[in-house]
Amino acid sequence: MDVDLVDTVTLDLLREARETVRSSPLGVINTPLIPWCQTTLPLNVRCSLHIKLENMQRTGSFKIRGVANQFANRPKGGHFVTMSAGNYGKSFAYASQHYGSKGKVVMPETAPVSRSILIKSFGVEVERVPTNSLMTVVNRCVQEDNMTFLHSYDDLDLIAGHASLGLELLDVIPEPDVVVVCCGGGGLLAGVAAAIKLSGCDKTRIYGVEPEGACTMYKSFIENKPVGMETRSIASGLAPPFAGTLPFELCRRYVEAVVLINDEEIEAAVSTLYKSGLVVEPSGAAAFAAIVSNKIPELEGKNVACVLSGGNIGKDELANFPD
Ligand SMILES: Cc1ncc(COP(=O)(O)O)c(C=O)c1O
């Protein structure tokens, strides 16, 4: 990787991105960061736990933060293409409608049809293709139809936009001991970790959380380069086939470690959160799952912040989870 790109991620750049996100016409929300005890559900953890409610974010996930900064830094009225069946696709479609730009989402044909319907409702074109030809179709759109590709996790503007979450967190807890963030391609984790460390919180330990069946960043840390794998997890947002290159470089600089959880632990976390009054999707519950399953070392007595990254889950899916 071009090491210079990692070095362009400075506190000034992240603060500027935060202003862009804050003043975005997309209406990005400074989401609440609340102490767990406010939920009134007892929890067996011996730390002071705060949760950042990105499930209450516009479009239902943090992705709108990065998308707001991506669109602000691209030519108005462009024709964009992306590849996503999930929260990025929803935020991309919402932004396309708002900016009046033409957009296309290439998604795997295995994605729920309801996803295509939702994304199309924002006026964006959807093409459903076999998973192994997603990139070929995106490349065709770029080369033959002159569209601009927007990446859903490996993009400097996107990551800088996600960093706004980390800066907001520090407004409430200026020096957290531990921050726990889920990881898919690594854009969110990289942005939040860079924001916290570049703000001078040298002692804060930042942990990434991945499902056992989709642990590309974990493997990338071991192999010391961004790697891919065949992924499988109930947390589909955390299961892209590759760790991002820029996210990997930022995570290896700013993240303490990546810990793993299994799908049962994720399901249990979704249920616990639901009982506390919070609708959180499996990907969004992963960081919380790692805390309650004791996967994060040395939490006792610490000030801990946990990101609940998204809440896009239907009641049909929720009904399958344990009580
Ligand atoms: C709710 C949720 N959390 C986390 C992630 C992972 O984000 P990243 O790919 O930036 O690591 C996603 C990705 O779609 C998501 O939808």
Side-chain angles (χ1 to χ4, degrees), residues 203-323:
K203 296 207 184 97
T204 302
R205 286 180 281 136
I206 300 161
Y207 291 92
V209 179
E210 287 189 316
E212 285 171 0
C215 53
T216 54
M217 191 61 80
Y218 179 85
K219 283 181 188 279
S220 301
F221 271 38
I222 292 170
E223 297 195 27
N224 218 12
K225 61 171 197 249
V227 299
M229 66 185 279
E230 218 171 275
T231 58
R232 197 183 177 85
S233 172
I234 188 175
S236 54
L238 306 186
F242 292 98
T245 304
L246 180 57
F248 167 71
E249 294 296 343
L250 289 165
C251 288
R252 96 163 145 182
R253 199 176 274 196
Y254 299 124
V255 170
E256 185 85 10
V258 177
V259 303
L260 303 182
I261 45 166
N262 62 42
D263 278 5
E264 290 71 39
E265 288 162 338
I266 295 176
E267 286 178 4
V270 170
S271 296
T272 304
L273 289 165
Y274 186 75
K275 275 185 229 147
S276 78
L278 297 164
V279 176
V280 182
E281 64 188 275
S283 301
F288 180 78
I291 294 171
V292 294
S293 317
N294 292 318
K295 298 288 163 65
I296 311 291
E298 294 173 54
L299 285 190
E300 196 161 337
K302 302 288 192 239
N303 246 327
V304 180
C306 167
V307 177
L308 304 182
S309 57
N312 284 311
I313 182 168
K315 64 180 192 301
D316 46 342
E317 198 186 335
L318 268 172
N320 295 326
F321 286 21
D323 280 342

Side-chain angles (χ1 to χ4, degrees), residues 32-310:
L33 178 68
I34 63 165
W36 176 264
C37 58
Q38 199 171 312
T39 70
T40 73
L41 187 79
L43 196 65
N44 192 16
V45 289
R46 281 181 295 196
C47 60
S48 165
L49 177 62
H50 283 70
I51 46 178
K52 178 82 170 153
L53 303 183
E54 287 298 296
N55 57 322
M56 297 179 73
Q57 183 56 267
R58 193 167 303 271
T59 72
S61 85
F62 73 95
K63 286 279 184 185
I64 195 70
R65 295 175 181 271
V67 165
N69 199 41
Q70 268 182 323
F71 273 73
N73 284 288
R74 298 297 191 285
K76 303 280 169 290
H79 194 174
F80 303 111
V81 60
T82 194
M83 191 169 69
S84 164
N87 285 327
Y88 181 83
K90 185 175 176 186
S91 291
F92 170 95
Y94 178 78
S96 299
Q97 184 182 51
H98 226 88
Y99 276 90
S101 52
K102 281 170 76 180
K104 174 165 178 167
V105 175
V106 182
M107 66 167 68
E109 58 195 5
T110 48
V113 174
S114 57
R115 272 285 154 175
S116 318
I117 295 170
L118 175 74
I119 287 173
K120 280 186 195 159
S121 74
F122 291 107
V124 162
E125 187 190 344
V126 171
E127 185 171 345
R128 295 170 68 92
V129 304
T131 308
N132 58 9
S133 50
L134 284 165
M135 208 55 227
T136 315
V137 174
V138 168
N139 286 337
R140 191 200 66 213
C141 294
V142 171
Q143 280 149 20
E144 293 175 18
D145 305 322
N146 221 7
M147 297 185 200
T148 304
F149 177 46
L150 294 187
H151 204 289
S152 61
Y153 55 85
D154 203 352
D155 177 280
L156 178 60
D157 293 320
L158 181 88
I159 292 169
H162 292 340
S164 61
L165 192 161
L167 296 175
E168 274 173 25
L169 196 154
L170 297 182
D171 287 345
V172 184
I173 309 178
E175 259 186 275
D177 296 314
V178 175
V179 177
V180 189
V181 184
C182 60
C183 178
L188 174 65
L189 176 61
V192 171
I196 291 173
K197 289 293 186 178
L198 290 169
S199 294
C201 296
D202 299 336
K203 296 207 184 97
T204 302
R205 286 180 281 136
I206 300 161
Y207 291 92
V209 179
E210 287 189 316
E212 285 171 0
C215 53
T216 54
M217 191 61 80
Y218 179 85
K219 283 181 188 279
S220 301
F221 271 38
I222 292 170
E223 297 195 27
N224 218 12
K225 61 171 197 249
V227 299
M229 66 185 279
E230 218 171 275
T231 58
R232 197 183 177 85
S233 172
I234 188 175
S236 54
L238 306 186
F242 292 98
T245 304
L246 180 57
F248 167 71
E249 294 296 343
L250 289 165
C251 288
R252 96 163 145 182
R253 199 176 274 196
Y254 299 124
V255 170
E256 185 85 10
V258 177
V259 303
L260 303 182
I261 45 166
N262 62 42
D263 278 5
E264 290 71 39
E265 288 162 338
I266 295 176
E267 286 178 4
V270 170
S271 296
T272 304
L273 289 165
Y274 186 75
K275 275 185 229 147
S276 78
L278 297 164
V279 176
V280 182
E281 64 188 275
S283 301
F288 180 78
I291 294 171
V292 294
S293 317
N294 292 318
K295 298 288 163 65
I296 311 291
E298 294 173 54
L299 285 190
E300 196 161 337
K302 302 288 192 239
N303 246 327
V304 180
C306 167
V307 177
L308 304 182
S309 57

